[in-house]
Amino acid sequence: MPDLIRADWRRCRPPLPLAVLTLALLQAQGASAQDAGLDAPITLKRTPQLLEIIPKAQRGELPSFVDGDRISGRPDLETVIEGNASLRRGDTVIHADRLEYYQPEDLAKANGNVRVNQAGNVYEGPQLELKLETFEGFFNNVRYRFLSTGGHGEAERIDFVDSNVSVARRGTYTTCRREDYPGWMPAWMLSAATLTTDTEENIGVATDARVTFMGISTPAFPSLSFPLGNDRKSGFLPPTIGVGNLNGIDMTVPYYWNIAPNRDATFYPELMTKRGLNLGTEFRYLEKEYNGTVRLDFMGSDRLVGDRYNEKLATQMDQLARGEIGVGDLDLGRPKSRRWGLWANHRQDFDAKAFGLDSLTANIAINRVSDNDYWRDFTRTPSLTQRLLSNDASLNWSKGDWTGIVRALKYQTLQYDLATILPPYDRLPQITANYDKYDWNGFDFSLKTDYSRFRADPVQQRQPNGERAFAQASISRPFLTPGTYVIPKLQLHASSYQFEAPLANGASSASRTVPTFSLDSGMIFERDANLFGRAFRQTLEPRAFYVYTPYRDQSLLPNYDSAANDFNFATVYTENAFSGNDRISDTNTLTVGVTSRLIDPESGAEAARFGIAQRLRFKDQRVTLPGVAPITDRVSDLLLGAQINWTPKWSFDGTVQYNPDDHRSTRTALSARYNPGSYRNISAAYRFQANSSPTVADGNKSIDVSWQWPLNDLWGDKGKDLGPGRGQGGGRWYAVGRLNYSLQDRKLTDGVVGFEYDGCCWIGRVVLERLTTGQATPNTRIMFQIEFVGFAAIGSSPMRTLTQNIQRYQPLRQPFPAPSRFTNYD
């Protein structure tokens, strides 16, 4: 038994709190440092003597401290403290009107206004019996509060099993803050015959439990578990319920399995009243050398497939009756109703030194689904609305200035009758090796090599499959000064092809060698400026970029991976007009532009950037992609761009592509954001893409607006900043949403509109979502959710929808580390 330190004086103060002790030591150290002539700054450090969690082996060795108005007893037998009595050992302190401690049994008995603080968890009541070392005992008519969640409640009796586990008899639990007025009742409350809490596992289990919300109680649950912190735990997750025109009533009851600290699995059966039952599971693992995720969805029979087939067949029969199609045109092949999806990601780190390398890693990504319509019918799966699903395995290595990849890439293309797409080529395999050397006697040198074997349907692609070996060597000599730069560069592109079938000219192989010369130059001017009462460092940065690549006939070569580069500020200063390695553009162009920036001289932050650029062509382009006309304009469109971040609240970004010949904008993208504080964000964007014909005035025009804003601001209630993920106080409404509107079609293409209510200890959400995803009839669903903060949630969670659609959306509650036990030090 630990020794009991008896007080022979009236009042014996307990040990000083952590911060006071540490600060005193640091002040003494700071004074010593000053005496020694040292200028080291004073920093607050945590003392190792005060542990967050006291090991069990040390508990029995800790001393006890008593304090009170009157102390009496017999040595090594019992001690009686009366009046303002307290007993402290380790992370446990007991306060009471009268306290008796029996040393042989290590038993404390307390009566009258008893208060126990055990590692920040507080218990209050009239009567307590407790063994200090093992923390075994009971507490009658007790009120309690847990430090990690702020949850509290009352119980007729609490039995302490040990320092972590306790069982409350006929207890209640809520995270609603207690108000001090007669008749107060929390907005929600859990009532249970028994309430077992385990603070080590951070889990609570209630039996014969009912949840009461706004005076309405649920039926009794035989057993119900809930978290006492942010740690993971096995058990059923709150069910999600949604209503939509595609699925009908959609209900999911997930089960989470915390297999180990580095492994877990989630099972989520999903019942859709219009379609059937979808069974899904997700498995995650994390090791020092590897990690990954595997997800599988399986639906044995989807009634939507049959309904869609019957509608299609009925339409064809009507067309047959009208003579529009023949009998041979009927699609009588009934599609399979069994549907599945598989998504997996794995990353592996190898011992590179064993292979003589600096690094060696492997990555595997699998994305496969059962049919072409999966992307339309399962919009909330990991594939989202993607129609090109990549299956990719790669081995990545590096050694000094060398890097490389050995890769196998295969696509699954999901076709759609109303918008078919040409599948990309599979690369089985692809092998690359790259060498980069900078400042080699003043020169920069690089070598990029690539061998790829391309596979696809030759009939669909209208060109043969084949193999390509590609190499690109470049050498440059930068000439740099504080205000200027000139960078001449010479490149050489070489390619060799082997084909499985002959080309149009009968050749089964081909090769190509193309040189490129470029000269990049610019100047940087600076001056001090004062605009709108603010001091700036303003720059003026003219730039000229010249490229010359001679013509080489490439019209007979297949095109496996090349596409025309988009015309923007990122590509206007590049040598090749094409991406990929099958086309090297013949070029004789000069790109000129100028950029001006406003820089805060104190912080170095860029407050604004303005740019303009234009490309001058000295001869017609002759190398083109199949079916694309060559560019003959001597002067390109004019690019104008601006980025303004005048204050942290406001930002603006705009790009305009202006055609000087037609005197019109061919592309415009404007966006603005207003973010004056937490949970206040409005973003708007306007996009315009002109038609290819200059005689057609209309084009693709759309407006995109998203927002998150407290409605209480409208009547002057600005709330309080409680920190990230904690909201701005109870009783506040928030409007959330995003609208994408097509101006030329005059209709809403996609929309998300909803409201959130922060009730302090509960949050209510209702969100209406409308997605087109290429369907004739948009998919519409409404989601309701009630989140009992620190406990559970019911309904269909719209959090993923809000996060994906609203820029800078901030959840009203986010997990945060549990507070230290010293934040509630007695």
Side-chain angles (χ1 to χ4, degrees):
M1 289 295 171
D3 293 334
L4 180 66
I5 301 178
R6 295 191 58 191
D8 294 330
W9 49 88
R10 180 176 178 81
R11 186 170 297 275
C12 176
R13 293 292 182 187
L16 291 175
L18 168 65
V20 177
L21 283 174
T22 309
L23 185 59
L25 289 173
L26 289 172
Q27 288 177 342
Q29 292 175 356
S32 300
Q34 292 176 359
D35 294 339
L38 301 178
D39 296 327
I42 298 176
T43 58
L44 191 63
K45 296 182 180 180
R46 189 167 183 167
T47 175
Q49 277 85 7
L50 295 178
L51 302 176
E52 187 68 39
I53 299 176
I54 301 176
K56 292 183 178 180
Q58 295 185 13
R59 287 185 176 274
E61 302 175 359
L62 294 175
S64 298
F65 298 87
V66 297
D67 181 17
D69 295 339
R70 294 178 300 277
I71 299 177
S72 61
R74 293 177 296 172
D76 300 325
L77 292 177
E78 79 273 351
T79 302
V80 179
I81 309 102
E82 297 179 289
N84 297 313
S86 70
L87 187 152
R88 179 185 304 274
R89 182 188 297 174
D91 58 1
T92 302
V93 58
I94 304 173
H95 298 280
D97 293 340
R98 176 183 172 87
L99 199 154
E100 302 173 8
Y101 179 69
Y102 299 93
Q103 283 185 265
E105 297 86 6
D106 189 34
L107 176 64
K109 294 183 179 181
N111 292 277
N113 297 313
V114 181
R115 173 186 170 93
V116 178
N117 186 327
Q118 192 261 334
N121 299 320
V122 176
Y123 306 86
E124 296 177 315
Q127 183 183 12
L128 167 74
E129 288 192 12
L130 184 68
K131 292 184 177 181
L132 294 184
E133 183 177 346
T134 59
F135 210 82
E136 297 177 64
F138 68 89
F139 210 145
N140 288 329
N141 298 321
V142 61
R143 299 183 304 273
Y144 59 90
R145 175 179 294 274
F146 298 126
L147 175 64
S148 58
T149 63
H152 61 91
E154 299 178 356
E156 290 184 2
R157 174 187 170 108
I158 287 184
D159 292 309
F160 298 106
V161 179
D162 55 35
S163 60
N164 298 313
V165 180
S166 63
V167 180
R169 313 292 179 181
R170 299 203 175 275
T172 62
Y173 179 81
T174 183
T175 58
C176 297
R177 186 181 64 182
R178 180 182 294 275
E179 302 291 345
D180 189 15
Y181 62 84
W184 172 83
M185 288 292 293
W188 71 268
M189 182 175 64
L190 171 70
S191 304
T194 64
L195 190 61
T196 303
T197 58
D198 188 336
T199 56
E200 183 178 26
E201 297 293 335
N202 277 327
I203 184 174
V205 178
T207 62
D208 191 18
R210 290 177 172 82
V211 178
T212 302
F213 177 65
M214 296 298 181
I216 301 175
S217 298
T218 65
F221 297 96
S223 180
L224 184 67
S225 64
F226 57 94
L228 296 177
N230 299 318
D231 295 340
R232 302 175 302 159
K233 70 179 186 69
S234 299
F236 284 100
L237 301 178
T240 62
I241 303 173
V243 180
N245 63 326
L246 184 67
N247 300 336
I249 299 176
D250 190 335
M251 182 175 68
T252 306
V253 184
Y255 180 83
Y256 177 77
W257 181 18
N258 185 23
I259 303 173
N262 60 339
R263 285 181 175 82
D264 63 13
T266 305
F267 305 92
Y268 41 94
E270 180 181 10
L271 178 62
M272 296 171 276
T273 56
K274 286 188 176 181
R275 298 174 58 182
L277 179 65
N278 181 54
L279 301 175
T281 182
E282 182 181 57
F283 173 65
R284 301 186 301 176
Y285 54 94
L286 175 63
E287 296 286 352
K288 182 179 180 181
E289 295 82 13
Y290 60 88
N291 63 82
T293 303
V294 180
R295 173 170 172 167
L296 175 65
D297 280 19
F298 178 79
M299 198 168 188
S301 178
D302 188 352
R303 291 194 296 271
L304 179 63
V305 175
D307 295 343
R308 187 176 288 156
Y309 171 77
N310 293 334
E311 292 175 3
K312 181 180 180 180
L313 186 60
T315 302
Q316 291 181 337
M317 296 300 294
D318 292 341
Q319 293 175 334
L320 180 64
R322 295 192 299 266
E324 298 176 359
I325 61 174
V327 177
D329 297 323
L330 291 176
D331 183 7
L332 301 178
R334 190 178 185 90
K336 296 181 179 180
S337 60
R338 181 183 296 112
R339 313 186 74 179
W340 55 266
L342 173 64
W343 304 268
N345 289 280
H346 177 84
R347 175 183 170 84
Q348 180 87 42
D349 294 325
F350 296 100
D351 183 6
K353 294 182 179 180
F355 298 90
L357 300 173
D358 294 336
S359 68
L360 183 62
T361 61
N363 293 280
I364 299 175
I366 299 175
N367 299 276
R368 299 287 295 179
V369 296
S370 57
D371 55 84
N372 285 329
D373 291 326
Y374 206 93
W375 67 284
R376 295 193 297 148
D377 301 338
F378 296 87
T379 58
R380 295 185 296 280
T381 59
S383 62
L384 299 178
T385 57
Q386 298 177 14
R387 296 174 60 189
L388 292 176
L389 305 183
S390 63
N391 297 270
D392 193 353
S394 63
L395 188 66
N396 309 274
W397 61 270
S398 68
K399 173 67 174 177
D401 297 324
W402 286 91
T403 60
I405 299 175
V406 179
R407 181 187 192 193
L409 174 63
K410 186 176 180 60
Y411 288 96
Q412 181 185 9
T413 304
L414 308 184
Q415 294 290 3
Y416 182 46
D417 294 340
L418 300 181
T420 59
I421 57 179
L422 185 66
Y425 274 87
D426 301 328
R427 299 175 187 245
L428 301 169
Q430 179 185 20
I431 303 173
T432 69
N434 303 319
Y435 177 80
D436 293 284
K437 187 70 174 180
Y438 297 101
D439 197 14
W440 176 61
N441 296 322
F443 289 87
D444 294 339
F445 177 77
S446 70
L447 175 65
K448 302 182 184 303
T449 63
D450 181 299
Y451 167 80
S452 296
R453 187 169 178 261
F454 296 97
R455 290 291 177 269
D457 183 357
V459 177
Q460 190 176 26
Q461 299 288 344
R462 298 183 179 179
Q463 61 185 20
N465 294 334
E467 304 174 20
R468 185 193 67 202
F470 171 83
Q472 174 184 302
S474 68
I475 186 170
S476 63
R477 174 59 168 92
F479 297 93
L480 309 176
T481 70
T484 63
Y485 61 91
V486 178
I487 307 176
K489 180 191 292 186
L490 183 63
Q491 294 180 333
L492 185 65
H493 315 263
S495 300
S496 176
Y497 293 85
Q498 295 289 331
F499 307 113
E500 293 184 353
L503 299 178
N505 62 353
S508 59
S509 63
S511 61
R512 174 199 60 193
T513 303
V514 185
T516 295
F517 171 76
S518 66
L519 182 65
D520 194 2
S521 61
M523 305 178 69
I524 302 175
F525 300 95
E526 293 184 352
R527 70 162 188 170
D528 293 329
N530 194 296
L531 298 174
F532 304 101
R534 291 181 61 182
F536 292 103
R537 180 69 50 81
Q538 183 181 12
T539 69
L540 186 67
E541 306 170 32
R543 182 179 181 183
F545 184 73
Y546 175 75
V547 179
Y548 176 75
T549 303
Y551 170 74
R552 297 290 186 270
D553 185 9
Q554 304 165 53
S555 58
L556 294 178
L557 295 178
N559 178 25
Y560 295 131
D561 64 356
S562 283
N565 284 332
D566 190 27
F567 188 67
N568 53 45
F569 279 101
T571 61
V572 73
Y573 295 105
T574 55
E575 288 88 358
N576 192 7
F578 304 105
S579 62
N581 298 322
D582 287 313
R583 292 294 184 272
I584 307 298
S585 62
D586 59 315
T587 308
N588 190 359
T589 61
L590 174 66
T591 303
V592 293
V594 62
T595 300
S596 181
R597 296 184 295 160
L598 295 177
I599 301 174
D600 190 310
E602 295 183 357
S603 64
E606 187 178 272
R609 175 196 291 257
F610 305 93
I612 183 172
Q614 191 170 39
R615 179 178 290 165
L616 309 177
R617 188 177 300 276
F618 300 115
K619 67 173 186 178
D620 295 347
Q621 174 186 336
R622 299 175 64 186
V623 176
T624 64
L625 295 172
V628 180
I631 300 176
T632 59
D633 295 337
R634 289 293 179 263
V635 180
S636 72
D637 290 351
L638 193 66
L639 277 178
L640 301 101
Q643 293 180 343
I644 302 175
N645 299 285
W646 198 256
T647 69
K649 298 180 180 180
W650 286 95
S651 69
F652 172 83
D653 193 347
T655 302
V656 176
Q657 183 177 335
Y658 179 78
N659 189 314
D661 297 329
D662 300 332
H663 304 288
R664 67 166 187 161
S665 169
T666 57
R667 181 187 300 176
T668 301
L670 306 174
S671 63
R673 176 182 55 83
Y674 178 54
N675 184 204
S678 299
Y679 309 100
R680 294 174 173 85
N681 179 44
I682 298 178
S683 300
Y686 168 79
R687 300 179 182 90
F688 167 72
Q689 175 68 56
N691 289 316
S692 57
S693 174
T695 60
V696 180
D698 291 337
N700 186 3
K701 301 178 183 179
S702 65
I703 294 178
D704 196 335
V705 181
S706 65
W707 66 91
Q708 180 187 24
W709 202 271
L711 294 178
N712 295 52
D713 286 3
L714 300 177
W715 49 86
D717 179 10
K718 299 297 182 180
K720 299 178 181 180
D721 188 0
L722 302 179
R726 301 191 182 189
Q728 293 193 312
R732 297 181 61 74
W733 287 90
Y734 298 82
V736 292
R738 178 191 176 190
L739 299 176
N740 194 327
Y741 184 80
S742 174
L743 294 174
Q744 75 274 12
D745 297 332
R746 296 184 179 180
K747 68 176 183 178
L748 183 70
T749 55
D750 296 303
V752 174
V753 179
F755 297 93
E756 294 181 293
Y757 178 77
D758 190 344
C760 194
C761 63
W762 67 277
I763 296 173
R765 299 182 178 95
V766 55
V767 174
L768 177 66
E769 179 186 49
R770 181 183 187 272
L771 299 176
T772 55
T773 61
Q775 301 183 91
T777 302
N779 182 13
T780 303
R781 62 172 179 154
I782 187 168
M783 294 168 282
F784 300 93
Q785 185 188 44
I786 296 177
E787 177 185 347
F788 302 123
V789 176
F791 179 64
I794 59 174
S796 180
S797 174
M799 297 305 296
R800 181 178 178 183
T801 297
L802 298 178
T803 303
Q804 290 181 342
N805 286 276
I806 301 176
Q807 294 185 28
R808 300 197 176 193
Y809 170 79
Q810 292 181 274
L812 297 181
R813 294 294 186 277
Q814 284 182 311
F816 51 87
S820 167
R821 67 182 177 93
F822 297 105
T823 60
N824 193 21
Y825 187 85
D826 254 340

